[in-house]
Amino acid sequence: MHTLDKLIQTLVKILVFVGGVALVVMICLTCANIFFRLVWFPIRGTFEFMGYFGAVVTAFALAYTEVKKGHIAVDVVVSGFSRKTRKYLQVVNSFVYFLFFATAAWHIAGKASNLRKTGEVTETLQVIYYPFTYAVALGFGVLALVLLVNAVKSLSPEKEHST
Amino acid sequence: MSLALVGIIGIVVLLLILFFLGMPVGFAMALVGFLGFCYVISLQAGLNMVSSVLWETLAKYGLTVIPLFIFMGQIAFYSGVNEKLYKAAYRCVGHIRGGIAMATILACAAFAAICGSNAATAATMTTVALPEMNKFNYNRKLSTGAIACGSTLGVVIPPSVVLIIIGLSTEQSIAKLFYGGIGAGVLLAFFLMLTVYVVCRINPSWGPVGPRTTFLEKIKSLSGAFEMVLLFFLVMLGLYFGFFTPTEAGAVGSLFAVLIGVFQRSLSWKGFISSVTDTLRVSCMVIMIVAGAMIFGRFLAITRIPFDIATWVVSLPIPNIGILLIIVFIYIVGGAVMDALALLLITIPIFFPVAMELGYDPIWFGVTITVVTTLGAVTPPVGATTYVVGGMAKDVPLKDVFTGVTYFLPAYILCILILMMFPGLVTFLPGLLQ
């Protein structure tokens, strides 16, 4: 479990780095498009690629946001529960969402495979875009792994002390 | 079982999961929407729907506006813009009774024009403004209440993530919502400052007079805020003249904010990296709630619940204003127990069709419910902004911060009532965009 945890942490860092680069690329691409629109002609495909880079930004931040407990939850009632109950709830929640997002990742990857097989291309630039769909599947897959590790960690008392 | 009943059960199950299991809002909406869709149609249809919605939502061009505006706000935050804005406001109004608290609200309003985050505004304003108010022996309830409430202006004054989300989920123009938010935000800021004035008139010792400044000092301090004013006008005028799409405005604003930070040497490399990682985290949180709401919305749509509720509500023997007041009441109560963004995304598919059936202006409705839900950011038990201020102002008990906030509640109510009585305050500027 410790090795898996380390591996996931490294993976999360890599994804955050790539997501950050995608964010910067989005800003540069949009500003360049405005500039070229003014002086010459707009950069073709900006709109579609903005969407795909946006998908990378969100998908690659999914696991990081979960690690940072950044997803909003309504804890008005739950905060009144005992520590033990909250711990069990966390295990159940993490496990349910592990199943949900692992399935979603699998299906999105299947969708990406279909796009690859059918040779689907973007409307304007006529280039393949399935790598972005795979990237989104990867983001959800890593999120599922983080949730699984969270569930197992919550069940392990000695780990709880160390964290 | 009728589809309407399935829809109602879905909503009840969602609320139970949210409150009693403490699941993240976006995840819970996605799960309940998926299960409901599977129940009504089939498991395979549910799986296909979830994978399609997740991919399409994440890759939607319209949603790229979210990380860009969040990034702009984060860059401004890490560049220490708050401090400059506060100093400018302080020099202008600090010399009158309660003036430093008013300056805090003014600075919050100004920062809100660049950053749409309540928490970020509350955190920096507590660091910057609270020591100054303590120095002049301001009453702690008044000072912390002013910071907490002033910070809520972030979601009303554009650019605001909440207004962007309303625009995307109701298919209304984001630019119009931004312009609608200006009138409401200015009005709310005015009433918050008026509250400080009234409280200090009743209790003069609560807001002692600050130091006088010369006209030259006032002008000099304004120069510190000049770049941010320029940034705000760049974004808003670009939208006004149709020069930018909202996404482009976010990108240009971000680039401009980075350049200001770099040239003024106020943005460090560490600050830039923190801006990027914070942007990823916050925008991911927001977009996952949107994605969850989309999945839940698909389920609600097949049950036809939103349309049935809209038709039913309109047929009730209650005047339109009565129905609107009920909706506002639900948003006040809902905002008190749930994050504003989550509440809006859950309820908009239900209440927006109702408001349209009743003949209300969509921009006015969007802006007004945004103001209503900001109340929830300061009221218990959720009151996220109040907790941020309470958490950072170590020497002030949380109870006092909440008490301080209560002085400002009439300002919110008054603002909401005025917006309801004079919708033109919201719709005038967006009307010019046509």
Side-chain angles (χ1 to χ4, degrees):
Chain A
M1 180 50 66
H2 183 70
T3 317
L4 181 65
D5 196 17
K6 284 266 175 203
L7 182 75
I8 290 171
Q9 278 179 24
T10 311
L11 208 53
V12 168
K13 279 181 189 163
I14 294 170
L15 292 190
V16 167
F17 176 77
V18 179
V21 171
L23 177 69
V24 175
V25 169
M26 281 168 72
I27 295 167
C28 296
L29 179 62
T30 308
C31 292
N33 181 45
I34 296 168
F35 177 75
F36 282 108
R37 192 169 67 202
L38 279 174
V39 298
W40 198 11
F41 57 81
I43 300 172
R44 287 179 70 225
T46 299
F47 282 73
E48 49 199 30
F49 271 94
M50 279 296 284
Y52 298 139
F53 282 123
V56 171
V57 166
T58 308
F60 282 10
L62 280 166
Y64 174 69
T65 310
E66 179 58 30
V67 169
K68 293 282 175 189
K69 299 287 165 215
H71 292 290
I72 288 179
V74 184
D75 57 0
V76 179
V77 179
V78 175
S79 58
F81 293 168
S82 70
R83 197 186 147 100
K84 202 174 167 184
T85 311
R86 272 185 283 154
K87 188 178 139 180
Y88 285 127
L89 277 181
Q90 201 199 331
V91 174
V92 172
N93 285 351
S94 298
F95 196 70
V96 167
Y97 284 112
F98 156 69
L99 290 176
F100 181 74
F101 286 115
T103 313
W106 184 255
H107 271 258
I108 295 170
K111 195 181 179 70
S113 300
N114 278 340
L115 293 173
R116 184 170 56 85
K117 279 180 204 152
T118 54
E120 187 100 353
V121 289
T122 62
E123 277 178 31
T124 315
L125 284 183
Q126 300 286 307
V127 293
I128 48 154
Y129 64 92
Y130 68 82
F132 292 101
T133 319
Y134 274 124
V136 170
L138 175 68
F140 279 106
V142 178
L143 169 67
L145 280 176
V146 169
L147 288 164
L148 178 67
V149 169
N150 282 352
V152 177
K153 267 185 183 171
S154 299
L155 282 172
S156 159
E158 68 272 27
K159 291 276 176 193
E160 194 184 40
H161 286 296
S162 66
T163 48
Chain B
M1 203 186 300
S2 73
L3 283 179
L5 186 60
V6 175
I8 291 168
I9 291 173
I11 294 169
V12 172
V13 169
L14 173 65
L15 293 175
L16 289 176
I17 287 180
L18 284 179
F19 284 96
F20 293 96
L21 295 183
M23 284 182 175
V25 178
F27 295 5
M29 284 196 282
L31 182 69
V32 176
F34 164 69
L35 294 176
F37 204 90
C38 290
Y39 178 81
V40 175
I41 301 183
S42 69
L43 176 66
Q44 193 55 44
L47 288 168
N48 289 340
M49 183 272 288
V50 166
S51 58
S52 295
V53 171
L54 287 176
W55 160 245
E56 284 160 15
T57 308
L58 264 60
K60 194 174 183 174
Y61 173 77
L63 283 180
T64 55
V65 65
I66 294 171
L68 297 177
F69 272 119
I70 290 174
F71 186 63
M72 184 176 108
Q74 290 297 335
I75 289 288
F77 173 72
Y78 281 103
S79 300
V81 165
N82 258 7
E83 202 167 334
K84 283 181 191 168
L85 293 171
Y86 175 70
K87 277 182 184 159
Y90 173 91
R91 294 248 152 81
C92 290
V93 293
H95 61 282
I96 55 174
R97 193 167 291 285
I100 306 179
M102 289 183 197
T104 304
I105 292 167
L106 264 183
C108 286
F111 190 64
I114 315 153
C115 172
S117 163
N118 286 348
T121 313
T124 27
M125 274 303 161
T126 311
T127 320
V128 175
L130 195 62
E132 201 64 27
M133 286 194 271
N134 288 347
K135 201 164 89 185
F136 285 92
N137 284 325
Y138 266 60
N139 180 282
R140 300 296 168 95
K141 291 173 191 165
L142 177 69
S143 56
T144 50
I147 297 172
C149 294
S151 305
T152 63
L153 291 165
V155 294
V156 185
I157 296 177
S160 147
V161 172
V162 170
L163 290 176
I164 292 171
I165 295 297
I166 290 178
L168 293 171
S169 56
T170 59
E171 295 180 345
Q172 296 302 314
S173 155
I174 292 171
K176 284 187 179 180
L177 282 164
F178 275 6
Y179 273 90
I182 293 178
V186 169
L187 188 70
L188 184 57
F190 170 74
F191 279 122
L192 293 178
M193 288 170 69
L194 189 66
T195 305
V196 173
Y197 178 78
V198 172
V199 168
C200 292
R201 286 286 288 185
I202 298 167
N203 306 292
S205 62
W206 282 26
V209 174
R212 276 204 169 273
T213 49
T214 62
F215 182 71
L216 198 67
E217 281 175 321
K218 284 186 176 68
I219 295 294
K220 269 188 184 169
S221 70
L222 284 177
S223 69
F226 176 72
E227 300 85 357
M228 290 303 132
V229 175
L230 202 66
L231 178 59
F232 175 72
F233 279 107
L234 174 76
V235 169
M236 294 307 287
L237 292 179
L239 285 172
Y240 183 86
F241 290 111
F243 193 65
F244 306 139
T245 64
T247 301
E248 289 174 341
V252 171
S254 296
L255 184 69
F256 198 74
V258 171
L259 291 176
I260 292 173
V262 169
F263 285 119
Q264 290 189 334
R265 296 175 184 274
S266 54
L267 179 68
S268 63
W269 176 247
K270 197 179 161 195
F272 177 79
I273 296 296
S274 300
S275 303
V276 172
T277 51
D278 283 3
T279 301
L280 291 181
R281 181 175 50 78
V282 178
S283 51
C284 173
M285 175 271 287
V286 173
I287 291 172
M288 275 314 285
I289 298 179
V290 176
M294 293 279 184
I295 293 172
F296 190 65
R298 292 278 175 102
F299 160 61
L300 286 186
I302 56 164
T303 64
R304 291 195 51 80
I305 270 282
F307 315 103
D308 289 347
I309 289 178
T311 315
W312 174 70
V313 169
V314 172
S315 68
L316 287 174
I318 303 172
N320 287 1
I321 188 71
I323 295 170
L324 187 70
L325 286 172
I326 293 170
I327 293 175
V328 167
F329 178 73
I330 291 171
Y331 274 112
I332 291 175
V333 176
V337 292
M338 199 184 274
D339 176 74
L341 199 62
L343 174 71
L344 285 168
L345 278 165
I346 292 172
T347 53
I348 276 180
I350 298 164
F351 291 136
F352 188 75
V354 172
M356 294 308 98
E357 282 283 330
L358 294 174
Y360 289 108
D361 182 90
I363 301 295
W364 172 83
F365 183 73
V367 172
T368 305
I369 57 169
T370 302
V371 177
V372 175
T373 49
T374 57
L375 246 178
V378 286
T379 48
V382 173
T385 311
T386 312
Y387 284 117
V388 171
V389 177
M392 295 191 71
K394 298 284 180 205
D395 55 337
V396 187
L398 188 62
K399 187 170 73 70
D400 284 357
V401 187
F402 272 114
T403 310
V405 162
T406 56
Y407 300 132
F408 293 89
L409 296 186
Y412 286 92
I413 303 296
L414 209 56
C415 178
I416 293 162
L417 288 176
I418 287 181
L419 291 180
M420 288 169 78
M421 285 189 285
F422 305 103
L425 287 170
V426 172
T427 55
F428 173 70
L429 283 177
L432 296 179
L433 281 173
Q434 288 164 355

